[in-house]
Amino acid sequence: MPAASSFSAFQAPSGTRDVLPPESGQWELLMATFARIAHGANYGLILTPIFEDFGLFHRGIGVATDVVGKEMYELTDKGGRHLALRPEVTASVVRAFVQHRPTLPWKVFYCGPNFRYERPQAGRYRQFYQVGLEALGPDDPVLDVEIIELAWDYFAALGLTRLDLRINSLGDDQCRPAYREMLRAYLAERRSRLCPEHQERLDDNPLRVLDCKKEPCREVVTGAPVQLDTLCGACAQHFGLVRDGLTRAGVAFRVDPRLVRGLDYYTRTTFEISALALNSAQDAIGGGGRYDTLVESLGGPPTPGMGFSSGLERTLLACGAEGIDLDSQGPVPLDVFVVDVAGGSDGADVTRQLRRAGLRADQAFGSRSLKGQFKAADRSGAPLAVVIGPDEVAAGTIGLRRMRTGAGDERQVSVARVDVVARIVEELAQSNTEPVKADEKTMRQ
Ligand code: HAM
């Protein structure tokens, strides 16, 4: 039997991390901000499993991509099913659409963990969180603009300003085969200069070479033909309308004909938003695009789609790099801490009374000393403390004390217990710390 102390040696697996309070308050803020923006445009929350049939990702995202070919967490369950932890959410959303056939247009948003077996480094994790949205139904470029604009609004709402939005069009089934052939011929002529993997796999999917991070491929790709120059009339018109729409919306973008995405399902519009403050290879804080053939390839009726996802960890790094103070916008702090040295149930009763009145209240546990409880009250950040001792219990009162007014400040007033809620609300109003009713949002916006 191992010594008890060796149990504490367990650590979060490589490439994953724990998010504890108060940092988790920043995560809450990001999720609440994203939900507010998504709701504002009529997107409803969707929750899908974090594991799916392996074949969903294999077929939906593409076996030639790194995400599926190299980074998937595959597992076989006790029933012998071949499953995978999801590396992203779009394929799951489309699977859910095909399974449930909701009415169109279908607009959903999500937040949750994803898994990719990548080399862990700053801003790159094996478990990472995304917020995202997907809209199925319209092939209208107005939808492309809506989604890019919502992504932009989300980052702007967080206070991010140093952003680089790049857009591109990858064409469709009409124009992509000819481009693919042109690219294949160009790359085949330079096969010996490509990385060993792509020398071998070039013929399967030449488009994947465009996304290769290795130096030899990157050099060859610099001079390669770009899809944007070979778009068919319909794709060119669609892309023109997207650019016009973004300009009208006041969203600053640049066209990057060399923008390729790491997933195979894209058609037409693709985009990526990088944080200039991050100054690293992991500077993409969000990306997305159209996937007009994905629903069909997963067994549904022909249904266009478009979406966007953003990594929470990277967005937080970007906010930090821009010096944005998310803590002051996060979950509201406590209103009051209850210190109880009477030894009975009065402390718990008053705490309950305060919480039921919509105040944010906490209490000490385990009959700690007065000094210990005041330390806890101080640490809680609450501006007020309710103090209950035997005298207060006998008199039907409580002591009310302002915290953090300076060392040695002992001002404590006696308040009748029946008046405690009204008096605290009054005190909070005076100190400009607005009390929040239980049914109000707990985030400051
Ligand atoms: P993606 O570009 O693979 O697209 O990921 C979107 C975002 O997730 C990235 O911009 C980045 O912020 C974050 N991310 C990706 N991998 C990692 C990682 N290993 N560690 C930390 N953050 C990461 C998608 O996932 C598509 N589903 C986007 C989409 C939605 N397209 C259409 N709809």
Side-chain angles (χ1 to χ4, degrees):
M1 177 113 171
S5 63
S6 70
F7 286 114
S8 63
F10 289 123
Q11 305 232 323
S14 174
T16 72
R17 55 186 298 250
D18 302 311
V19 183
L20 312 178
E23 187 202 346
S24 53
Q26 302 184 350
W27 289 60
E28 283 186 68
L29 176 72
L30 262 59
M31 293 187 268
T33 303
F34 193 79
R36 177 170 57 81
I37 283 170
H39 278 306
N42 203 24
Y43 289 73
L45 179 68
I46 183 168
L47 304 166
T48 62
I50 60 162
F51 60 87
E52 298 266 6
D53 197 300
F54 174 85
L56 170 68
F57 304 119
H58 192 269
R59 191 172 339 148
I61 297 173
V63 65
T65 61
D66 283 356
V67 168
V68 171
K70 297 179 184 162
E71 298 166 0
M72 284 259 274
Y73 278 89
E74 291 177 52
L75 57 133
T76 306
D77 74 5
K78 292 185 197 305
R81 296 172 196 86
H82 189 189
L83 305 168
L85 299 187
R86 67 178 182 204
E88 56 110 55
V89 191
T90 311
S92 298
V93 169
V94 170
R95 194 264 310 135
F97 172 77
V98 174
Q99 186 173 338
H100 303 286
R101 300 290 173 91
T103 48
L104 295 172
W106 193 51
K107 294 167 68 164
V108 292
F109 78 94
Y110 48 81
C111 173
N114 302 280
F115 306 85
R116 296 183 192 177
Y117 192 78
E118 297 197 79
R119 198 162 58 81
Q121 51 200 291
R124 189 174 289 282
Y125 302 96
R126 289 181 175 165
Q127 173 172 324
F128 60 96
Y129 284 74
Q130 283 182 342
V131 289
L133 35 85
E134 313 289 342
L136 296 178
D139 63 0
D140 190 335
V142 171
L143 175 65
D144 307 33
V145 176
E146 169 172 303
I147 286 182
I148 298 173
E149 211 179 328
L150 291 173
W152 191 260
D153 288 350
Y154 164 59
F155 294 129
L158 296 176
L160 287 166
T161 54
R162 299 187 52 216
L163 301 177
D164 181 25
L165 164 61
R166 292 170 299 135
I167 65 168
N168 191 16
S169 174
L170 299 180
D172 64 6
D173 284 353
Q174 290 302 305
C175 49
R176 204 184 304 176
Y179 169 68
R180 194 186 150 103
E181 199 35 54
M182 188 192 296
L183 180 66
R184 202 198 56 74
Y186 170 90
L187 295 173
E189 270 175 33
R190 295 156 181 83
R191 188 184 294 266
S192 61
R193 288 167 50 200
L194 297 175
C195 76
E197 180 191 343
H198 284 117
Q199 288 190 20
E200 213 173 283
R201 298 180 57 182
L202 157 63
D203 300 306
D204 299 345
N205 191 349
L207 295 167
R208 279 286 121 232
V209 182
L210 298 177
D211 193 32
C212 181
K213 307 284 179 296
K214 301 206 179 79
E215 205 41 51
C217 285
R218 288 173 74 122
E219 258 174 41
V220 173
V221 158
T222 318
V226 291
Q227 172 87 61
L228 207 54
D229 295 336
T230 62
L231 292 182
C232 61
C235 285
Q237 190 191 17
H238 186 101
F239 194 51
L241 291 169
V242 172
R243 292 195 313 258
D244 290 350
L246 288 174
T247 305
R248 245 193 327 279
V251 174
F253 66 92
R254 64 192 174 93
V255 174
D256 179 1
R258 303 224 170 258
L259 171 67
V260 278
R261 307 262 307 130
L263 312 158
D264 269 356
Y265 50 60
Y266 290 112
T267 52
R268 293 194 164 172
T269 314
T270 55
F271 69 102
E272 207 157 271
I273 300 177
S274 305
L276 297 170
L278 280 184
N279 192 21
S280 78
Q282 275 64 249
D283 63 355
I285 55 173
R290 265 202 174 273
Y291 43 83
D292 290 346
T293 55
L294 182 58
V295 175
E296 218 178 336
S297 78
L298 294 176
T303 312
M306 163 93 191
F308 158 76
S309 324
S310 163
L312 283 181
E313 294 85 351
R314 278 191 207 174
T315 305
L316 286 170
L317 287 175
C319 288
E322 281 206 29
I324 297 166
D325 175 17
L326 293 175
D327 290 328
S328 63
Q329 308 168 49
V332 279
L334 274 188
D335 292 320
V336 53
F337 195 95
V338 177
V339 169
D340 174 17
V341 285
S345 59
D346 294 80
D349 292 344
V350 171
T351 307
R352 184 181 317 110
Q353 185 187 352
L354 298 173
R355 288 178 183 160
R356 286 188 176 165
L359 293 162
R360 293 161 300 235
D362 200 2
Q363 60 191 329
F365 300 99
S367 350
R368 292 173 61 190
S369 69
L370 185 68
K371 197 170 158 209
Q373 291 194 46
F374 267 115
K375 245 193 205 159
D378 239 346
R379 231 181 293 126
S380 77
L384 296 171
V386 161
V387 185
I388 304 170
D391 293 350
E392 280 80 10
V393 173
T397 60
I398 56 101
L400 188 61
R401 191 187 282 207
R402 245 178 207 293
M403 302 296 292
R404 295 181 293 169
T405 48
D409 188 343
E410 296 289 296
R411 277 180 303 163
Q412 182 169 311
V413 291
S414 181
V415 177
R417 193 136 149 194
V418 287
D419 295 335
V420 62
V421 169
R423 185 59 190 271
I424 287 176
V425 168
E426 214 173 89
E427 289 285 333
L428 291 171
Q430 269 176 26
S431 60
N432 284 334
T433 317
E434 270 198 31
V436 170
K437 292 276 162 4
D439 58 348
E440 284 178 6
K441 278 193 182 162
T442 52
M443 291 288 172
R444 289 200 184 116
Q445 293 294 341

